[in-house]
Amino acid sequence: MHTQPNSIIAVVDDDSAVRTAIAGLLNSMGWDVRLFASGSEVLRSNLISDVACLITDVRMPNVSGVELHDRIVRQGYVVPTIFITAFPTPELSANLNKDGVIAIFEKPVDANELADCIDQILGKP
């Protein structure tokens, strides 16, 4: 599996307000943030090898956040992944600590908790 030092955080959510809010937080922390409205956009972007962390909504049309994560893993990349969801389930929680899934946050995401999580897994940019 590929593991490389990189500095891009990919934020994937079909809700533009959520993407913008998370991007504002991450930019204020000094991270290079790329926003995507769908999992398909991420897969077409050819940026996976440059992504230090993936923050993705779980429920999205076409390619869910879980499916996106699984496809990235099948491509051979280990990308620390944070799922965000308005609908937490035991099935989703079963993914925690599996193939790089490091956290699951319920919407609305607490900015301080997300910032602390990013600091813990990535340190400072």
Side-chain angles (χ1 to χ4, degrees):
M1 294 211 171
H2 309 284
T3 55
Q4 304 172 12
N6 30 46
S7 61
I8 294 173
I9 297 180
V11 177
V12 189
D13 199 305
D14 56 336
D15 183 331
S16 63
V18 172
R19 285 193 313 268
T20 302
I22 293 174
L25 170 68
L26 298 172
N27 283 325
S28 74
M29 295 171 66
W31 290 101
D32 180 7
V33 181
R34 305 294 166 87
L35 303 179
F36 300 91
S38 70
S40 299
E41 281 184 24
V42 175
L43 295 170
R44 287 191 307 263
S45 74
N46 296 320
L47 285 177
I48 297 304
S49 63
D50 298 323
V51 173
C53 182
L54 174 69
I55 301 173
T56 182
D57 187 12
V58 172
R59 288 191 179 183
M60 294 181 293
N62 300 318
V63 178
S64 73
V66 173
E67 184 179 353
L68 171 62
H69 174 262
D70 291 346
R71 287 169 124 182
I72 290 169
V73 169
R74 282 196 305 269
Q75 290 178 16
Y77 293 96
V78 176
V79 178
T81 301
I82 298 170
F83 288 130
I84 55 175
T85 184
F87 306 98
T89 65
E91 294 80 18
L92 180 60
S93 296
N95 285 303
L96 194 58
N97 300 319
K98 178 183 166 193
D99 295 324
V101 177
I102 54 158
I104 300 168
F105 286 103
E106 190 169 345
K107 290 181 179 179
V109 176
D110 180 285
N112 291 326
E113 288 181 16
L114 180 59
D116 288 345
C117 183
I118 295 293
D119 280 345
Q120 287 176 8
I121 60 167
L122 299 178
K124 302 292 180 190

